[in-house]
Amino acid sequence: MTSTTVHHRQPPPPSPPSSDSDSDSTSPKPHHHHHTDFSTTIFHSYTTLHHHHSPDLIKIQSFLTSSRSNALSCLICLERIRPSDPTWSCSSRCFAIFHLLCIQSWARQSSDLSTLRASTRGADPSISTWNCPKCRIEFPKTLIPKTYYCFCGKVENPVHDPWVLPHSCGELCNRPLKYDCGHKCLLLCHPGPCPACPKLVKARCFCGGLEDVKRCGFKEFSCGKTCSRLLNCNVHCCGEICHDGECPPCRVKGVYSCRCGKVEVEKECCEREFRCEVECGKMLGCGKHVCEKGCHEGRCGDCPLQGRRTCPCGKRVYEGMGCDVVVPSCGGTCDKKLQCGIHRCPERCHRGICVETCRIVVTKFCKCGSLKKQVPCYQDVVCERKCQRVRDCGRHACKRKCCDGDCPPCSEICDKKLRCKNHKCPSPCHRGACAPCPVMVTISCFCGETHFEVPCGTEKEQKPPKCSKRCNITPLCRHKSITKPHKCHYGACPPCRLVCDEEYPCGHKCKLRCHGPIPPPNPEFTLRPKKKKQNLHIDSTPGSACPPCPELVWRPCVGEHIGAERMMVCSNKARFSCDNYCGNLLPCGNHFCTKTCHDLKIQCEECNLPCQRERKPSCPHSCPLPCHPEECPPCKVLIKRSCHCGAMVHVFECLYYNSLSEKEQIAARSCGGPCHRKLPNCTHLCPETCHVGECPSPDKCSKKVVVRCKCQTVKKDWPCHQVQAAYHGSGRDPKDITKNQFGIGLLPCNSDCKSKVKTDESDLHLRKSVPEKKDPDVENHVRKRKRRKDKVQHDHQVSAFQKIMGILRKILLFVIILVSLITMAYIGYKGLLWLNDWMNEMEI
């Protein structure tokens, strides 16, 4: 298991070194450093010489920093490793350091668990191993540590020396370096892996074209030129940049022929050897058969049917038989072994393959032995019984169907909380204690230049390393270019002590001490939270805004009236109102505001007076809008005007009608038809077209009038003006004559008029005697009442029959509904029975 690193803080980018944060930030000493860390300089020089960022060097530097800060912790017990405690360090991959007693206990428990697991599975229990708690590298039981050695392994039980790195012998490491280059480590006895070999040697690049002096640990290099090594085809050269390992396959395209030479195809050089799909087809040596091989090189070979031949089952041998003769079967039993490997083929000697599946019925047991059954030989027996054995984890049952006893390892995740209290165990379910948390937490100063790694779960007990670098937090006030630097620190940066001199929006400058914005305080790295201090907010404290401007200035009133200014403080934005009227022109453009002095941004009073302007063109209607500055809208009021004769009414828009001249108005009002007015002296209408004023020449009406005598027997047709003249001659005014009597009595009666009067009297007598007969009407009335009574009786008879039919319909409808309900209940009951049977079958 590889360990992952979780950073406790996200360190900001590195910055140049500065004074310690514990010292006075107001008087830094940039050239005086306390607790100088020479390891940074040493490793910087080492990496500069190598021109590589080696992970081994980083790991060594982290171990040294942790040991110098007394921050080494054991992954098993999570306790701090003191300089005098016996330790053991893994020398295979992770180089983690543990307490000697802790690793011994861990190794014994792991080896015992491995032995138990091996005995459970039937393996050799003598081969037991244990794992490193961090990198999980396996060690045999014989390598359980028993003695405390230094890091390089030369000195047993090294004595603690305050001038030497803890758990180190203080001598040269002298361990063989990686890759067996023949050199040894020249560092002092140190934790972690040895760095790459720094010896200078002559080495060639990967392609061998360039020879150069390189560090022994990095002697494999690329010259950056074309490789040019001969490829496997022994024809073309590699065109890649100088590289490590074998050259890629040759990709040069060309036309190549197959093995038999019949087909030519364009292919890549690495695929030049191929076989076509055309059969050989050449005659074999017997001269009777054709070669059935595919595409091949060389001779086709002898005929496979010549020489010694056997029957299909192989029991009878035939010699000297021609290759074109079919071998007869021997007639015996085939007796070849079937695929099961137990039974033999019962068929007669036959050609071809025997039956694939052995169908002989045998008695078989299932894997777990709980079921015995007779089945065909090819069929396996599997029961449904679940294995109840506990797996090697000791917590979960096998639960596998028909298990043969070799239960597989538990596949569930352990998911127990580790000792770090931050993560859960990701390993499969197991016995014994969980492995330590593999996560390493990086504890660093705020800038991230000084840091070391500790096991997860111990970060709360560590203290951050002291850093001598400069604080890289840029001040936020306007004096950032002239402030004095200070060291990397936690918490807030020291406040600026210069004069603010910030310019107000009004143009004045602040005369107080700098109180501009400050960076937020860095999170405090403490084991126990400190009590919050009460922050006293003063006007000049850092982080607060500038106080209001105290300068005195002249301010006008809100209405900006001349001569109404007052002396006020510059920061006082309150505005005052004088006692004058506003006097601003209202939006209507016709009146002035009568309010008291008010802000110009506030709208003046609204003019609620109606519009009093004269409309153009002149109009009797007033403007419907309130008082407004623009011109009045055109009058759209509809007015009614009757025609001159009064026959119809015209509707005009006021603007259109008033814009016409007098003659145009007269022409527009005319209906265009005959005048419908009655002449003053007769009963006829005016013959002229609709016109203005009185009808012309009413005395000259030329229409015909029927003139009669008094008894209306004699009649003649006279022009109307003659009738009027006759009335005037008789001293009567024609205006007083009604329409029914106009023209009657102007002719004298003659002899025919008297006989007409007598005849009328006799007719009048006859008319009076006729209405006395009333009997036929009475009879008709009586007959109508009788017919109505008979019809009512007939209706009564029809309604009784209909009542009987209605009752029958209701009974029939009730019977149909009842039968439908019974049928539905029966079908539902049968459906439930069928569903119950189906569910029982599915459950079985």
Side-chain angles (χ1 to χ4, degrees):
M1 182 186 299
T2 58
S3 63
T4 57
T5 302
V6 178
H7 293 280
H8 192 84
R9 294 282 188 269
Q10 291 293 339
S15 63
S18 65
S19 59
D20 194 359
S21 60
D22 297 335
S23 61
D24 188 7
S25 60
T26 58
S27 59
K29 298 178 181 179
H31 297 287
H32 182 69
H33 299 283
H34 296 285
H35 308 289
T36 305
D37 188 6
F38 294 104
S39 63
T40 305
T41 307
I42 296 171
F43 283 101
H44 177 70
S45 303
Y46 201 91
T47 53
T48 305
L49 289 173
H50 281 69
H51 302 286
H52 287 282
H53 195 67
S54 175
D56 295 338
L57 291 175
I58 296 174
K59 188 172 289 188
I60 295 172
Q61 187 177 8
S62 176
F63 273 117
L64 292 177
T65 308
S66 302
S67 180
R68 186 173 60 87
S69 302
N70 198 17
L72 288 175
S73 298
C74 177
L75 282 174
I76 300 175
C77 63
L78 296 183
E79 296 292 337
R80 185 171 297 176
I81 299 177
R82 293 189 294 271
S84 58
D85 291 341
T87 59
W88 176 85
S89 60
C90 177
S91 58
S92 297
R93 183 186 299 172
C94 62
F95 300 94
I97 303 174
F98 307 91
H99 286 119
L100 183 62
L101 295 177
C102 292
I103 196 64
Q104 287 174 349
S105 175
W106 172 272
R108 290 192 192 96
Q109 291 180 7
S110 300
S111 59
D112 293 344
L113 181 60
S114 176
T115 303
L116 178 62
R117 190 176 299 170
S119 61
T120 304
R121 296 183 178 179
D124 187 6
S126 61
I127 305 175
S128 58
T129 59
W130 58 279
N131 305 86
C132 171
K134 185 175 182 182
C135 62
R136 312 304 292 173
I137 291 292
E138 288 188 353
F139 296 97
K141 188 175 182 179
T142 56
L143 292 183
I144 295 177
K146 300 177 180 179
T147 311
Y148 169 40
Y149 286 96
C150 64
F151 294 119
C152 63
K154 294 194 298 289
V155 178
E156 182 179 350
N157 295 323
V159 181
H160 172 58
D161 188 349
W163 299 101
V164 179
L165 183 70
H167 318 293
S168 170
C169 62
E171 299 177 0
L172 287 178
C173 180
N174 271 334
R175 283 185 287 182
L177 298 178
K178 290 193 298 184
Y179 310 119
D180 295 331
C181 63
H183 306 119
K184 295 184 178 180
C185 180
L186 300 179
L187 295 179
L188 297 179
C189 181
H190 60 86
C194 295
C197 183
K199 294 283 186 178
L200 292 174
V201 294
K202 287 184 179 182
R204 287 190 174 274
C205 62
F206 296 118
C207 66
L210 178 64
E211 185 177 4
D212 195 4
V213 178
K214 292 286 183 180
R215 298 288 178 182
C216 183
F218 306 98
K219 58 186 176 183
E220 296 180 354
F221 68 100
S222 172
C223 62
K225 298 179 181 179
T226 307
C227 180
S228 299
R229 283 187 288 185
L230 197 63
L231 298 176
N232 294 333
C233 62
N234 295 324
V235 178
H236 305 101
C237 295
C238 178
E240 302 287 334
I241 302 299
C242 179
H243 58 86
D244 188 14
E246 296 182 358
C247 296
C250 184
R251 300 294 181 185
V252 178
K253 290 188 176 181
V255 179
Y256 301 99
S257 59
C258 62
R259 292 183 180 180
C260 65
K262 294 181 180 179
V263 180
E264 291 185 352
V265 182
E266 183 181 2
K267 286 181 172 291
E268 293 180 348
C269 184
C270 59
E271 300 175 353
R272 63 186 181 276
E273 294 185 1
F274 67 98
R275 299 176 64 183
C276 64
E277 298 180 357
V278 181
E279 293 184 357
C280 179
K282 294 180 182 179
M283 190 67 67
L284 297 176
C286 64
K288 298 177 181 179
H289 298 97
V290 178
C291 179
E292 297 180 354
K293 295 181 181 179
C295 178
H296 66 89
E297 296 176 350
R299 296 176 64 257
C300 294
D302 298 330
C303 180
L305 301 179
Q306 288 180 345
R308 185 176 180 181
R309 302 173 66 183
T310 61
C311 65
C313 67
K315 293 180 180 179
R316 180 172 295 182
V317 180
Y318 299 95
E319 292 185 1
M321 185 177 290
C323 64
D324 56 343
V325 178
V326 179
V327 178
S329 63
C330 64
T333 307
C334 178
D335 210 24
K336 291 181 183 178
K337 273 196 176 183
L338 299 177
Q339 289 185 355
C340 64
I342 302 173
H343 305 101
R344 296 182 179 272
C345 179
E347 302 290 335
R348 285 184 177 273
C349 178
H350 60 86
R351 291 181 178 85
I353 305 173
C354 297
V355 291
E356 296 181 358
T357 55
C358 180
R359 300 185 178 275
I360 299 175
V361 178
V362 295
T363 302
K364 284 189 176 183
F365 287 89
C366 63
K367 293 180 182 179
C368 63
S370 61
L371 178 62
K372 180 180 178 182
K373 190 176 181 182
Q374 288 186 346
V375 293
C377 183
Y378 73 91
Q379 187 175 349
D380 294 330
V381 178
V382 180
C383 68
E384 297 294 325
R385 180 182 177 184
K386 291 184 180 180
C387 180
Q388 299 298 329
R389 295 179 184 176
V390 179
R391 295 189 178 183
D392 55 359
C393 65
R395 295 169 58 189
H396 303 101
C398 179
K399 296 293 184 183
R400 210 170 46 156
K401 289 185 178 180
C402 195
C403 180
D404 57 355
D406 186 13
C407 301
C410 186
S411 59
E412 297 189 19
I413 303 300
C414 177
D415 212 29
K416 289 182 181 178
K417 208 156 193 179
L418 299 178
R419 296 192 62 179
C420 65
K421 306 299 182 182
N422 298 326
H423 306 95
K424 292 183 178 181
C425 181
S427 303
C429 190
H430 57 85
R431 290 178 182 266
C434 297
C437 182
V439 179
M440 298 296 290
V441 179
T442 301
I443 296 179
S444 64
C445 64
F446 188 78
C447 69
E449 286 294 323
T450 308
H451 55 84
F452 57 86
E453 290 185 349
V454 295
C456 178
T458 62
E459 66 273 9
K460 296 181 180 179
E461 301 177 0
Q462 306 297 337
K463 294 182 179 179
K466 293 184 178 180
C467 181
S468 59
K469 308 293 182 181
R470 284 190 179 183
C471 177
N472 58 358
I473 300 176
T474 305
L476 300 180
C477 67
R478 61 197 311 269
H479 309 111
K480 57 184 177 181
S481 59
I482 57 176
T483 53
K484 295 180 180 180
H486 55 277
K487 291 183 180 181
C488 173
H489 61 89
Y490 283 92
C493 294
C496 180
R497 297 182 181 275
L498 301 176
V499 178
C500 177
D501 208 24
E502 183 74 22
E503 187 174 354
Y504 289 107
C506 61
H508 305 112
K509 292 187 177 181
C510 180
K511 305 299 182 183
L512 301 176
R513 185 178 172 181
C514 180
H515 50 83
I518 59 174
N522 304 334
E524 289 290 341
F525 196 101
T526 54
L527 300 180
R528 297 177 182 177
K530 294 182 179 179
K531 295 182 180 179
K532 294 183 178 179
K533 298 180 180 179
Q534 295 181 355
N535 296 325
L536 299 177
H537 294 280
I538 310 174
D539 291 342
S540 60
T541 55
S544 61
C546 293
C549 182
E551 300 291 336
L552 296 176
V553 292
W554 287 97
R555 289 277 173 82
C557 65
V558 292
E560 297 183 0
H561 293 108
I562 300 174
E565 294 85 356
R566 293 182 185 177
M567 180 70 74
M568 300 181 67
V569 178
C570 182
S571 59
N572 186 7
K573 301 298 181 181
R575 306 186 67 184
F576 64 94
S577 172
C578 61
D579 296 333
N580 300 327
Y581 286 108
C582 175
N584 291 327
L585 191 65
L586 295 180
C588 65
N590 302 322
H591 307 92
F592 295 94
C593 180
T594 59
K595 286 184 178 179
T596 311
C597 176
H598 60 83
D599 194 353
L600 297 178
K601 296 180 181 179
I602 301 175
Q603 189 177 2
C604 295
E605 62 182 351
E606 296 181 0
C607 184
N608 298 323
L609 298 175
C611 182
Q612 300 174 356
R613 293 186 178 184
E614 293 184 1
R615 309 189 77 168
K616 295 180 182 180
S618 60
C619 171
H621 308 104
S622 59
C623 179
L625 300 177
C627 186
H628 54 86
E630 62 275 1
E631 294 293 333
C632 295
C635 184
K636 300 293 184 178
V637 178
L638 299 178
I639 57 175
K640 296 181 180 180
R641 295 289 185 271
S642 62
C643 65
H644 304 302
C645 64
M648 64 182 297
V649 177
H650 296 280
V651 178
F652 303 98
E653 282 189 0
C654 181
L655 175 65
Y656 168 75
Y657 186 77
N658 291 329
S659 61
L660 299 176
S661 61
E662 186 176 356
K663 291 183 179 181
E664 292 174 344
Q665 288 180 358
I666 292 174
R669 289 182 60 182
S670 175
C671 63
C675 183
H676 285 72
R677 288 184 289 183
K678 185 180 177 183
L679 295 176
N681 298 329
C682 63
T683 59
H684 302 108
L685 301 177
C686 178
E688 299 293 333
T689 307
C690 181
H691 57 85
V692 183
E694 296 181 357
C695 296
S697 59
D699 298 335
K700 297 180 179 181
C701 181
S702 59
K703 291 190 177 182
K704 292 182 179 182
V705 179
V706 179
V707 180
R708 300 175 184 270
C709 62
K710 290 183 178 181
C711 64
Q712 300 183 8
T713 303
V714 183
K715 60 179 180 179
K716 287 184 179 181
D717 292 337
W718 286 6
C720 183
H721 62 84
Q722 292 184 6
V723 176
Q724 294 179 21
Y727 277 118
H728 285 299
S730 62
R732 299 167 61 187
D733 192 355
K735 298 179 181 179
D736 299 336
I737 306 302
T738 60
K739 184 177 181 180
N740 295 332
Q741 298 297 326
F742 192 76
I744 297 176
L746 294 180
L747 294 179
C749 294
N750 52 16
S751 58
D752 296 334
C753 295
K754 295 180 180 180
S755 62
K756 183 69 175 174
V757 171
K758 291 179 182 180
T759 303
D760 292 340
E761 289 178 356
S762 63
D763 293 338
L764 183 62
H765 180 71
L766 291 173
R767 290 174 186 172
K768 291 181 180 180
S769 61
V770 170
E772 293 180 1
K773 264 186 175 181
K774 295 183 179 179
D775 294 338
D777 296 337
V778 174
E779 291 178 1
N780 291 335
H781 183 65
V782 172
R783 288 177 183 173
K784 287 181 180 179
R785 290 183 61 188
K786 186 175 181 181
R787 285 198 300 271
R788 189 180 303 162
K789 185 175 180 181
D790 295 339
K791 185 177 181 181
V792 169
Q793 292 178 358
H794 179 69
D795 292 341
H796 279 298
Q797 293 176 1
V798 173
S799 62
F801 177 74
Q802 289 178 352
K803 187 174 181 180
I804 294 171
M805 292 300 294
I807 293 172
L808 292 176
R809 287 195 194 95
K810 291 180 180 179
I811 294 172
L812 181 61
L813 182 62
F814 176 75
V815 172
I816 291 171
I817 293 173
L818 183 62
V819 172
S820 301
L821 292 175
I822 294 172
T823 304
M824 291 174 64
Y826 178 76
I827 293 172
Y829 175 72
K830 288 294 185 181
L832 288 175
L833 292 178
W834 176 83
L835 181 61
N836 189 19
D837 295 340
W838 179 78
M839 291 178 69
N840 291 334
E841 291 178 359
M842 293 302 294
E843 185 176 2
I844 293 172

